[in-house]
């Protein structure tokens, strides 16, 4: 028995010894993986960048558009081959966009440091323009990115201690810009397009903020400074009332705004000062130049939420007045020269034509700038039928008015160059631009929406009824040299959109 016991104990000791030796050969336990952690400081969707105290959020959308009866996205058929209404005009235009948004925030002893960028990869179909030889050439869609694809930068800014530096929303514009309940490009307010700026915003609590900004005027906030001495028949035929004679940048636009953003809605008042800096009267600097002239724009906006018509229903309304700062009404996603063709009943006229043009100022050689006045408004109402369906109604009106001296400059050249049949008495470059429309959206699941939107433009030009002009051949839009009746025009377009947000 003692012998058996000794054998068992010896065997057990041997096994333990062997197990210990094998265990010594095993690798050490790996360090715990540092998984990405949720950052709850700034709302849903933020995560800590591993190894840092910076929170990151990624988002964006993929959008596919089809526009019917226009060459633009999403605007009326109001100029170029789109306004020509012939075999060069597109019956449809398409656009696809992948948008990426990158938002980073870090808490510091001085407050939150934020950077934000929004990048858009866009492909837009183009159009065909006449060459004047019986052939055509494929070109980019006017006012859009290059057909075939391009990268655009919407936002790219840093925020710290109340300051915003970089490309961001203008302090002048409202949260909805020109889109109170729509996708159609409306006048009547400051535009959505972000702008390079340095802005300070003071937050007084309760949703009350005051902002002061110096923002770049070059890309977003200039229309035309027309030197009427350089006007041509070809330019007049497109609604261009002179040679665009803008000089180099001198001063940024100066903007101030007050905003009250609370549960009931929003109220905002904005003001902007804009320097009009012309180049020269003639081809060289020895010809002289007009002096700079400052223009301005004022805007009031109101948004009402929690309407009794339904949960989530809203009304957004904006009104604006400008003098020498027309881009704060006719924003940079819109054209500034309009030429829309139609039928005519005037004997001897080939077709009718609605002509109009927007400028910040006009002048002639040896004279100073005459500032252009505009005013307008836009508004929209959105009703949610249920969590899946919504419908909106929207509209806009904008007016352009030239003073007596400016009209004298434009009409003197217009009558002589185009042989206006009613003479100076029938010449008036003022015009009104109005839009009405409706949109219906279906959201079958969260973050996926399908939209159908109808927009109707009315161009109300002010040349005397029955007036005709003699235009030269316009090869690009395949229009012959002939007499054309000056007449009000309209344009009806349809947008079909599918969009997936993430």
């Amino acid at each position: 028995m003692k012998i058996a016991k000794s054998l068992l104990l010896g065997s057990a000791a041997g096994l333990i010894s062997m197990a210990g030796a094998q265990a010594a050969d095993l690798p050490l336990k790996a360090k715990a993986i540092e998984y990405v952690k949720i950052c709850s400081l700034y709302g849903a969707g933020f995560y800590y960048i591993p190894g840092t105290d910076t929170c990151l959020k990624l988002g964006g959308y993929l959008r596919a558009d089809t526009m019917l009866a226009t060459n633009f996205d999403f605007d009326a058929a109001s100029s170029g081959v789109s306004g020509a209404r012939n075999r060069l005009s597109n019956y449809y235009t398409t656009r696809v966009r992948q948008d990426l948004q990158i938002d980073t925030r870090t808490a510091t002893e001085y407050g939150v440091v934020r950077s934000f960028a929004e990048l858009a990869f866009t492909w837009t179909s183009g159009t065909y323009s006449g060459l004047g030889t019986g052939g055509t050439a494929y070109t980019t869609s006017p006012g859009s990115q290059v057909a075939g694809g391009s990268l655009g930068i919407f936002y790219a800014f840093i925020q710290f201690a109340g300051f915003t530096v970089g490309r961001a929303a203008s302090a002048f514009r409202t949260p909805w810009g020109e889109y109170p309940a729509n996708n159609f490009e409306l006048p009547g307010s400051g535009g959505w397009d972000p702008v390079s700026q340095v802005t300070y915003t003071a937050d007084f609590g309760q949703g009350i903020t005051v902002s002061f900004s110096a923002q770049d005027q070059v890309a977003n906030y200039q229309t035309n400074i027309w030197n009427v001495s350089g006007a041509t028949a070809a330019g007049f035929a497109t609604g261009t009332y002179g040679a665009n004679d803008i000089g180099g940048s001198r001063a940024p636009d100066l903007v101030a705004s007050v905003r009250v953003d609370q549960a009931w809605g929003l109220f905002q008042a904005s003001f902007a000062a804009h320097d009009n800096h012309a180049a020269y009267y003639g081809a060289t600097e020895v010809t002289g130049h007009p002096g700079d002239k400052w223009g301005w724009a004022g805007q009031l906006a109101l948004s009402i939420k929690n309407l009794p018509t339904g949960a989530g229903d809203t009304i957004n309304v904006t009104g604006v007045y400008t003098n020498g700062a027309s881009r704060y009404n006719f924003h940079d996603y819109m054209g500034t020269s309009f030429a829309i063709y139609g039928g005519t009943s005037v004997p001897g006229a080939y077709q009718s034509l609605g002509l109009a043009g927007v400028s910040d100022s006009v002048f002639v050689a040896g004279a100073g700038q005459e500032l252009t006045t505009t005013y307008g408004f836009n508004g929209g109402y959105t009703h949610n039928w249920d969590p899946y369906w919504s419908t909106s109604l929207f509209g806009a009106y904008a007016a352009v008015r030239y003073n007596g001296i400016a009209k004298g400059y434009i009409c003197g050249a217009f009558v002589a160059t185009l042989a206006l049949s009613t003479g100076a008495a029938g010449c008036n470059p003022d015009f009104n631009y109005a839009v009405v429309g409706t949109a219906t959206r279906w959201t079958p699941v969260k973050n996926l929406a399908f939209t159908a939107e109808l927009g109707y433009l009315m161009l109300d030009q002010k040349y005397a009824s029955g007036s005709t002009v003699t235009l030269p051949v316009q090869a690009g839009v395949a229009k012959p040299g002939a007499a054309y009746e000056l007449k009000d025009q309209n344009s009806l377009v349809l947008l079909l959109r599918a969009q997936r947000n993430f």
Side-chain angles (χ1 to χ4, degrees):
M1 187 68 182
K2 289 183 179 179
I3 295 173
K5 186 177 181 180
S6 298
L7 288 172
L8 287 172
L9 291 174
S11 298
L15 290 171
I16 292 171
S17 175
M18 290 174 61
Q22 290 175 352
D25 294 335
L26 292 175
L28 297 175
K29 185 178 180 180
K31 292 180 64 177
I33 298 174
E34 184 177 5
Y35 292 100
V36 176
K37 296 186 297 183
I38 293 175
C39 174
S40 59
L41 298 174
Y42 311 109
F46 281 92
Y47 297 85
Y48 283 102
I49 298 175
T52 75
D53 57 357
T54 297
C55 298
L56 169 69
K57 181 178 181 179
L58 299 178
Y61 60 83
L62 193 149
R63 173 189 296 166
D65 287 353
T66 299
M67 290 71 64
L68 303 181
T70 182
N71 293 55
F72 302 97
D73 182 302
F74 172 49
D75 202 358
S78 59
S79 63
V81 294
S82 192
R85 294 174 170 173
N86 57 20
R87 293 183 65 83
L88 298 180
S89 307
N90 283 357
Y91 280 10
Y92 68 91
T93 301
T94 62
R95 170 176 288 183
V96 178
R97 170 173 292 162
Q98 173 63 72
D99 178 275
L100 176 62
Q101 300 165 14
I102 307 167
D103 192 347
T104 68
R105 307 188 194 190
T106 306
T108 74
E109 59 269 34
Y110 299 102
V112 175
V113 177
R114 183 193 185 199
S115 68
F116 182 85
E118 183 174 359
L119 312 176
F121 301 86
T122 304
W123 190 94
T124 307
S125 60
T127 188
Y128 286 89
S129 298
L131 295 175
T133 60
T136 59
Y138 185 72
T139 61
T140 62
S141 181
S144 70
Q145 284 83 356
V146 176
S150 68
L151 171 63
I153 299 177
F154 290 151
Y155 291 92
F157 64 81
I158 297 171
Q159 289 179 321
F160 176 65
F163 286 92
T164 299
V165 181
R167 185 172 170 83
S170 170
F172 188 90
R173 80 159 170 88
T174 63
W176 58 87
E178 68 267 34
Y179 307 117
N182 56 285
N183 300 295
F184 196 98
E185 301 297 347
L186 301 181
S189 68
W192 176 89
D193 199 13
V195 59
S196 296
Q197 63 188 271
V198 176
T199 299
Y200 178 75
T201 299
D203 190 338
F204 295 95
Q206 304 297 315
I208 302 172
T209 57
V210 176
S211 297
F212 300 94
S213 180
Q215 66 182 32
D216 177 41
Q217 63 163 246
V218 175
N220 299 56
Y221 289 98
Q222 295 181 137
T223 57
N224 302 287
I225 297 178
W226 276 326
N227 182 350
V228 182
S229 297
T232 64
F236 278 136
T238 65
T240 302
Y241 293 141
N244 199 5
D245 204 7
I246 299 174
S249 62
R250 287 297 182 271
D253 284 8
L254 305 177
V255 178
S257 65
V258 178
R259 179 181 292 181
V260 180
D261 190 353
Q262 298 176 342
W264 61 266
L266 176 145
F267 170 79
Q268 180 174 324
S270 309
F271 178 84
H274 172 81
D275 178 37
N276 292 288
H277 177 73
Y280 297 102
Y281 290 129
T284 69
E285 59 190 35
V286 299
T287 60
H289 59 82
D292 285 20
K293 208 162 187 179
W294 281 82
W296 63 274
Q299 177 179 267
L300 295 175
L302 179 67
S303 177
I304 302 176
K305 305 174 185 177
N306 303 317
L307 298 173
T309 54
D313 290 8
T314 58
I315 293 176
N316 298 320
V317 180
T318 309
V320 66
Y321 186 97
T322 77
N323 182 243
S326 301
R327 271 297 185 211
Y328 290 92
N329 188 351
F330 290 82
H331 56 83
D332 68 316
Y333 282 179
M334 297 181 64
T336 57
S337 295
F338 308 101
I340 308 175
Y341 289 83
T344 183
S345 58
V346 173
Y350 174 69
Q351 289 179 342
S352 64
L353 171 63
L355 281 179
V358 186
S359 68
D360 291 329
S361 70
V362 300
F363 67 90
V364 294
Q369 298 184 65
E370 299 297 327
L371 300 183
T372 304
T373 296
T374 80
Y375 51 88
F377 68 90
N378 63 46
Y381 165 66
T382 299
H383 173 63
N384 294 279
W385 300 101
D386 57 36
Y388 308 103
W389 290 90
S390 67
T391 298
S392 63
L393 301 173
F394 59 88
Y397 168 86
V400 175
R401 299 293 182 261
Y402 294 91
N403 67 27
I405 296 174
K407 287 179 179 177
Y409 295 159
I410 293 171
C411 289
F414 192 89
V415 172
T417 305
L418 299 186
L420 181 66
S421 63
T422 52
C427 179
N428 185 354
D430 295 347
F431 71 95
N432 301 324
Y433 187 107
V435 176
V436 294
T438 183
T440 294
R441 300 169 188 85
W442 176 45
T443 307
V445 295
K446 185 178 180 181
N447 294 325
L448 175 65
F450 298 92
T451 303
E453 182 170 332
L454 197 65
Y456 183 69
L457 160 69
M458 294 159 283
L459 181 66
D460 174 25
Q461 53 90 51
K462 298 300 181 182
Y463 294 101
S465 177
S467 295
T468 62
V469 290
T470 302
L471 301 185
V473 173
Q474 299 171 77
V477 295
K479 294 295 181 181
Y484 292 81
E485 176 194 6
L486 295 180
K487 183 181 177 182
D488 298 347
Q489 303 290 341
N490 53 65
S491 173
L492 179 66
V493 295
L494 175 66
L495 167 70
L496 301 175
R497 169 174 291 177
Q499 182 165 318
R500 168 76 162 95
N501 297 335
F502 62 89

